[in-house]
Amino acid sequence: MDRMPKWADVLLIPLISLTLAALLSALVILAIGEDPLAAVTMMVKGSLGSTYGWGYTLYYATNFMFTGLAVAVAFHARLFNIGGEGQAVLGGLGVAIVALSVPWPHWSLALAAALVAAALFGAGWALIPAYLQARRGSHVVITTIMFNFIAASLLNYILVNIMRPTGQMEPATAKFPKATHLPTLHDLLAPLGIPFSKAAPVNITLLIAVAACILVWVLLWRTRAGYEIRAYGHSEPGALYAGISPFRITMLAMLLSGGLAGMMAVNNVMGEAERLVLNAVEGAGFIGIAVALMGRSHPFGVFLAAILFGFLYQGGAELALWTNIPRELIVVIQALVILFTGALDNMVRMPLERLFRRRAGGGARGGAGGAGSSGSGGAESTAPKPHTRTTPIPGAPADEPAAGPTAADSPAASDPATPDGRRHPPV
Amino acid sequence: MTRNDPTGRPVTAAPDTSGPAHAGAGGGVGHDSVPAIELRGISKAFGPVQANRDISLKVMPGTIHGIIGENGAGKSTLMSILYGFYKADAGEILIRGKRVEIPDSQAAIAAGIGMVFQHFKLVQNFTVLENVILGVESGRLLKPSKAKARGLLKQLAEEYELHVDPDTLIEELNVGHQQRVEILKALYREADILILDEPTGVLTPPEADHLFRILEGLRREGKTIILITHKLREIMEITDTVSVMRRGEMTATLPTADTSPEELAELMVGRKVLLRVDKHPARPGPVVLSVEGLRVTDDKGVERLRGIDLDIRAGEILGIAGVAGNGQSELLRVLGGIAKGRGRVTMNGTPLPLEGAGADGRSRRAAGIAHVPEDRQHEGLIMDFSAWENAAFGYHDDPRFGSGTLMDNRAIQDDTRAKIERFDIRPADPMLSARNFSGGNQQKIVLAREIERNPDLLLIGQPTRGVDIGAIEFIHQQIVRLRDAGKAILLVSVELDEIMGLSDRIAVMFDGRIMGFRDPRITDEKELGLLMAGIADPAPATGGEG
């Protein structure tokens, strides 16, 4: 007896949250003296109104799919990897090395090698935080965010001192050779007779990102490793009981996460810039957190949320270009979306649950199972919230909604003896 | 009602002031016949869950009234309404004939109601005295309050055998004494209606006996006591009247003298229940598990197991009795591969690694050890996983559930459906997540998973904690059936009745050691109770071999 139907959980709640975020955004736009309706029209037109707009929307979405999946995989193991930014930076380094050091005969080979390199470099960058978490209990939130700064500095050093072609002023690598240029969506759709903007940066990596969504879904819900990751994420004592090694799962989840974040670089470095520049990631690593939150850590949710954020990104760029609304406002709108879908999730969820419960009538049984929380039935329960083991993260949603007093007896009643560890001297 | 306290001093509960065990309500001498508490038509719903439905109850002054019912029957909700934690949807409360509103616990205290919770509400690093006056200091300065409280405590201690040193810190007191402080707190606030919620859950039998003497003393003084428990024995021993709750309703209120445990159990469950475990004597085979000098040190460096020696044979149930926290959990955990230990443990003659590689749940399962953990909700099950995912938990590597890296979810689901049928798990839906099952059905999921692996050794902790009576019967039958199939079983339970009823041999643990082995057919609760309290027995122990 779940609290509400699954469709409400996965569709209705995000939609209501988005609507609320949109309304509040409209107020903000009004407050700075612009017309919200015109702004929305412009955003939609600029991002979805042409193949050029779509091209950019999907290009951004590709980035966010990778970083969103990265965060989602770690969430399932109850690890909060906020180092996607740094891992993507390192992924870019891997891509650049691969693209520049080997005379590739064909883009497909270069792509395969670049994917591997990007994943390895990204995973490598997650390795040390993962190890420190698994062995020493150093919190990944702290270490991964530190590694973001180290990654930025490292890239800076490498671009300025090592990979910058002599005579070039800009801290960037040389252009990648032509044979490594990836086919854009225009190139891919042209043989099918579908016209698509030639200027848009969306490229074949989009298909790889979609494939990654599917593969991550298979990993999480169809493989033993995924089962163990989810089990560990839900309950560490449970994992220990079942003989699942916390060390192994922490390493596995973080390396997968870092690898996925790193793979983003194939899209932005190889597919778009075709060289490695400073700040190539442009915050996509952080957007990934919002994407994973909004997508409820489910690969298909991540897919949809990535497209939404792609739309926001491209729409925001258009707004900044054509109106007096500053580009920063788009950050505000994104923040509102994150706020409503992530942190304020319960604000929508709890009244809705109450509504559904009332409609369901008196059919529910007085459970004795102790404090209940939103148990979604079915095969794919959602990931544990990205609350972490030791330190609460500001901004992360509260772990589990406060359990309503569903059990008629106090949950404590099912636990008559509290091991108190004290000796009992004779009375 | 004559009892012996551990020092052997016979104590008569009720000197002839009011007569022993008051038959029927209203037996208090010298009190009028207005009920101390009267509830009329109390109803309370949480969403669709009707926790209390039209409950009416009268408790006469100077009596002990028991409320018994399964988990989830609504006992605690009813008491929470009485103590002002919840507001009833309907109905009224009368205290000494006067209608009262109890919007919060302050109002309850003002109405003379005191509550002793199952989990004490004490400030650990305050002294007894400070805890007693907390919130009812009589002025801005503590000194006069303390002096006043000190005098009153002394008086109460003498009156009711509530002896506690007022200057000891709470954290230095054992559980039984902490409970006394809770009672003192209520009395200091001039409660004359005392509600105790599962008060004996954490006590040794001698401590529980002492508590009952205190309650009898309070009754003698005209206090009204409501005792919430799920233990039939306590109801029969101490109460004057008893109310049975089932599914939010009060199904009966009876004078205790006119009823029997069997009748009460039937009223609680709604059908006839077998209270005794039905089993033949064991036919022990060869030794399956042999433990020598097993030691476990916890994270804080405290040694929780201090050299355990025991053997378990095929076809026998070894029960570990003891007050919670004396090392039983650690024993299960180290044998189950969850905790690290030192010593020598052999399973079917093969040594088991106790630390490093091979000391994990996976290797233990491979060695033929199944484990039903004490903490079902955090260890035994992943509450957000569906029933079928849980039914493979720990065995998800089994080749039957798919080859290579991919899991065959369909195969697990089919397997779960079969388990659900064999163990009568309800609702019979493998897709439902574990938290949507009742405690008893959750336990059945764990039990089905572990027993059906046909292990050589089953470790089972608190098999019926939080499980309704109907399911208890079933779970006990399954354990005995496994024994009769020639398997070794290590049973840990804080319920002495369960240990006595199920075990073929009993080991009593205290402070990380085994105090002795006993034959359940010969020993009694008193002897076990002394061992549980760490009082070494004068009789020679029978040793590891049963």
Side-chain angles (χ1 to χ4, degrees):
Chain A
M1 260 148 278
D2 295 324
R3 288 196 175 168
M4 57 179 145
K6 206 161 172 64
W7 64 268
D9 189 38
V10 297
L11 284 176
L12 195 57
I13 291 179
L15 276 178
I16 294 175
S17 299
L18 275 180
T19 312
L20 289 173
L23 287 177
L24 211 57
S25 305
L27 288 180
V28 175
I29 294 173
L30 265 182
I32 59 171
E34 296 284 331
D35 177 5
L37 214 64
V40 170
T41 318
M42 183 162 293
M43 278 182 79
V44 173
K45 250 171 108 179
S47 56
L48 309 175
S50 62
T51 57
Y52 175 82
W54 268 106
Y56 266 97
T57 300
L58 291 177
Y59 162 74
Y60 290 125
T62 306
N63 286 343
F64 302 153
M65 276 179 220
F66 281 116
T67 53
L69 285 176
V71 177
V73 166
F75 271 179
H76 276 281
R78 214 178 253 234
L79 294 162
F80 198 7
N81 176 19
I82 55 174
E85 194 78 9
Q87 289 143 15
V89 165
L90 264 283
L93 187 61
V95 168
I97 291 171
V98 162
L100 291 170
S101 58
V102 179
W104 294 99
H106 192 260
W107 63 263
S108 57
L109 294 174
L111 174 62
L115 275 172
V116 171
L120 283 179
F121 272 65
W125 203 243
L127 179 72
I128 295 171
Y131 183 83
L132 289 175
Q133 169 77 60
R135 270 284 175 265
R136 302 251 158 240
S138 313
H139 211 289
V140 282
V141 168
I142 311 289
T143 48
T144 51
I145 205 161
M146 286 163 128
F147 266 65
N148 285 343
F149 290 102
I150 302 174
S153 307
L154 183 70
L155 188 71
N156 204 335
Y157 173 82
I158 288 175
L159 286 184
V160 170
N161 297 299
I162 301 169
M163 291 182 85
R164 179 170 56 94
T166 35
Q168 182 182 306
M169 298 288 281
E170 193 191 5
T173 65
K175 270 262 178 205
F176 295 169
K178 200 149 180 66
T180 66
H181 293 184
L182 296 178
T184 61
L185 211 54
H186 167 81
D187 302 333
L188 292 171
L189 291 177
L192 305 173
I194 304 167
F196 200 88
S197 163
K198 216 171 167 173
V202 62
N203 59 76
I204 194 166
T205 324
L206 171 67
L207 303 183
I208 295 168
V210 173
C213 288
I214 297 167
L215 284 175
V216 167
W217 177 80
V218 170
L219 168 84
L220 287 172
W221 280 286
R222 288 294 180 273
T223 69
R224 297 197 148 101
Y227 178 92
E228 295 193 351
I229 287 176
R230 289 184 298 123
Y232 173 74
H234 279 297
S235 166
E236 189 173 0
L240 272 173
Y241 158 78
I244 296 167
S245 154
F247 176 78
R248 227 193 87 205
I249 296 302
T250 304
M251 295 300 288
L252 179 67
M254 280 302 288
L255 293 184
L256 281 170
S257 177
L260 283 163
M263 281 160 82
M264 180 203 121
V266 175
N267 188 46
N268 66 338
V269 176
M270 197 167 174
E272 199 248 357
E274 292 167 351
R275 59 185 186 139
L276 181 59
V277 297
L278 274 179
N279 193 25
V281 184
E282 290 184 307
F286 291 116
I287 303 280
I289 299 168
V291 168
L293 279 178
M294 172 135 198
R296 311 215 59 207
S297 295
H298 194 290
F300 299 152
V302 166
F303 172 79
L304 293 175
I307 290 176
L308 172 77
F309 275 87
F311 154 75
L312 284 177
Y313 230 66
Q314 170 58 11
E318 290 287 313
L319 272 189
L321 197 59
W322 301 109
T323 67
N324 291 329
I325 298 174
R327 197 182 170 127
E328 282 68 33
L329 188 80
I330 233 54
V331 180
V332 173
I333 295 175
Q334 282 165 2
L336 285 171
V337 169
I338 296 169
L339 194 69
F340 277 92
T341 57
L344 295 180
D345 186 54
N346 280 344
M347 193 177 77
V348 175
R349 178 177 303 276
M350 293 192 16
L352 215 60
E353 271 177 2
R354 230 169 289 144
L355 195 75
F356 274 104
R357 227 176 322 176
R358 206 164 302 147
R359 286 204 11 211
R365 154 189 47 83
S373 71
S374 66
S376 57
E380 295 166 20
S381 50
T382 48
K385 294 290 171 56
H387 155 78
T388 46
R389 262 161 247 295
T390 46
T391 334
I393 303 150
D399 187 32
E400 310 287 323
T406 47
D409 240 276
S410 80
S414 62
D415 177 23
T418 319
D420 64 328
R422 219 165 264 123
R423 319 277 170 248
H424 302 286
V427 182
Chain B
M1 227 184 270
T2 303
R3 300 160 167 287
N4 286 324
D5 76 5
T7 54
R9 181 166 51 97
V11 178
T12 312
D16 291 331
T17 50
S18 59
H22 305 233
V29 173
H31 298 279
D32 48 80
S33 59
V34 177
I37 301 178
E38 183 174 357
L39 304 177
R40 287 186 190 157
I42 297 280
S43 289
K44 174 76 188 170
F46 298 110
V49 181
Q50 191 76 35
N52 286 159
R53 182 177 288 130
D54 192 22
I55 287 181
S56 297
L57 173 71
K58 281 183 194 172
V59 182
M60 301 311 283
T63 65
I64 300 182
H65 185 87
I67 295 185
I68 193 161
E70 297 187 292
N71 292 303
K75 306 177 299 248
S76 296
T77 305
L78 187 63
M79 291 307 119
S80 298
I81 289 169
L82 198 49
Y83 201 61
F85 281 174
Y86 297 141
K87 191 179 170 342
D89 300 336
E92 50 187 33
I93 301 170
L94 288 86
I95 305 285
R96 287 175 291 275
K98 260 193 275 175
R99 204 176 154 211
V100 291
E101 290 291 328
I102 304 181
D104 52 33
S105 54
Q106 290 297 322
I109 291 167
I113 299 173
M115 182 119 173
V116 175
F117 292 93
Q118 191 178 6
H119 299 286
F120 308 141
K121 319 251 180 228
L122 296 169
V123 182
Q124 289 289 317
N125 54 357
F126 271 22
T127 64
V128 171
L129 200 62
E130 285 165 338
N131 267 285
V132 167
I133 61 170
L134 187 64
V136 287
E137 306 88 349
S138 42
R140 288 196 183 280
L141 291 174
L142 282 181
K143 211 168 174 186
S145 312
K146 278 190 175 177
K148 183 185 146 211
R150 194 181 294 275
L152 201 69
L153 282 191
K154 201 164 169 233
Q155 194 188 328
L156 289 171
E158 271 155 28
E159 239 171 295
Y160 304 114
E161 288 193 56
L162 277 164
H163 296 282
V164 193
D165 176 6
D167 298 313
T168 317
L169 296 179
I170 295 298
E171 58 196 6
E172 288 164 9
L173 292 177
N174 68 31
V175 182
H177 282 78
Q178 291 190 15
Q179 194 173 51
R180 287 184 206 169
V181 178
E182 283 285 6
I183 297 174
L184 282 170
K185 260 170 69 181
L187 294 177
Y188 186 75
R189 285 158 180 73
E190 294 174 347
D192 52 17
I193 298 164
L194 200 62
I195 305 169
L196 295 104
D197 190 3
E198 299 280 357
T200 57
V202 290
L203 303 182
T204 60
E207 283 173 328
D209 281 350
H210 190 109
L211 171 69
F212 286 174
R213 280 204 307 281
I214 293 169
L215 297 185
E216 279 161 1
L218 291 166
R219 167 170 64 189
R220 226 163 29 236
E221 296 299 316
K223 307 272 185 202
T224 308
I225 293 159
I226 296 182
L227 179 71
I228 301 165
T229 182
H230 67 278
K231 294 183 183 168
L232 291 165
R233 196 161 37 89
E234 294 175 356
I235 293 286
M236 297 309 294
E237 253 179 45
I238 183 130
T239 63
D240 302 308
T241 49
V242 55
S243 295
V244 183
M245 289 192 72
R246 184 168 87 228
R247 291 187 192 161
E249 292 182 53
M250 199 149 264
T251 51
T253 296
L254 305 159
T256 310
D258 297 351
T259 186
S260 64
E262 287 75 18
E263 188 190 7
L264 289 177
E266 199 181 326
L267 284 166
M268 277 164 73
V269 184
R271 62 177 172 83
K272 280 219 177 298
V273 182
L274 196 63
L275 288 178
R276 291 238 144 267
V277 183
D278 194 17
K279 68 181 173 86
H280 306 291
R283 281 191 297 271
V287 170
V288 172
L289 181 86
S290 171
V291 176
E292 286 170 51
L294 180 59
R295 290 172 181 275
V296 169
T297 307
D298 70 11
D299 305 338
K300 294 179 188 128
V302 179
E303 198 167 51
R304 307 307 296 264
L305 288 187
R306 310 168 171 229
I308 297 285
D309 301 298
L310 56 83
D311 287 336
I312 309 177
R313 294 173 176 277
E316 74 161 354
I317 300 174
L318 175 67
I320 307 277
V323 177
N326 276 289
Q328 307 95 308
S329 307
E330 285 75 12
L331 180 62
L332 282 181
R333 292 169 65 82
V334 70
L335 293 177
I338 301 172
K340 313 279 172 242
R342 285 160 291 130
R344 191 178 148 76
V345 177
T346 53
M347 176 76 190
N348 290 326
T350 317
L352 290 179
L354 297 177
E355 45 194 344
D360 60 18
R362 200 179 298 245
S363 319
R364 291 294 199 272
R365 283 181 186 82
I369 300 177
H371 183 185
V372 177
E374 290 187 303
D375 189 345
R376 162 171 78 235
Q377 301 196 350
H378 293 107
E379 291 187 346
L381 293 169
I382 302 288
M383 297 303 272
D384 286 320
F385 271 16
S386 53
W388 71 266
E389 283 173 298
N390 273 301
F393 193 46
Y395 301 100
H396 51 279
D397 280 334
D398 191 319
R400 281 196 303 136
F401 298 151
S403 52
T405 52
L406 288 183
M407 265 170 109
D408 186 348
N409 294 356
R410 187 79 33 90
I412 304 175
Q413 284 158 13
D414 289 343
D415 180 67
T416 308
R417 267 188 209 97
K419 283 187 166 75
I420 283 176
E421 202 180 310
R422 280 193 293 270
F423 278 73
D424 188 29
I425 295 164
R426 289 176 216 190
D429 180 1
M431 299 306 189
L432 209 58
S433 58
R435 71 167 73 259
N436 292 318
F437 288 87
S438 71
N441 283 299
Q442 288 173 359
Q443 187 72 324
K444 282 184 184 178
I445 295 175
V446 180
L447 216 62
R449 179 181 75 207
E450 301 300 323
I451 286 184
E452 296 213 337
R453 303 303 299 197
N454 203 22
D456 289 338
L457 169 69
L458 176 69
L459 309 171
I460 182 162
Q462 319 299 350
T464 56
R465 175 184 285 176
V467 167
D468 30 42
I469 287 203
I472 289 178
E473 197 184 345
F474 177 84
I475 289 168
H476 284 173
Q477 280 165 2
Q478 294 300 318
I479 295 172
V480 171
R481 229 185 54 191
L482 193 68
R483 179 201 75 164
D484 291 342
K487 309 301 182 186
I489 292 160
L490 179 70
L491 165 75
V492 167
S493 174
V494 291
E495 302 286 344
L496 207 47
D497 291 343
E498 185 167 49
I499 294 282
M500 303 260 298
L502 270 179
S503 312
D504 300 310
R505 235 162 16 109
I506 297 174
V508 183
M509 279 187 74
F510 173 76
D511 198 14
R513 290 193 184 86
I514 290 181
M515 298 297 291
F517 290 84
R518 290 291 179 273
D519 184 335
R521 285 165 301 182
I522 298 166
T523 187
D524 57 17
E525 285 188 10
K526 202 182 131 222
E527 185 186 23
L528 294 178
L530 289 179
L531 290 173
M532 282 163 69
I535 297 165
D537 58 318
T542 31
E545 302 299 313

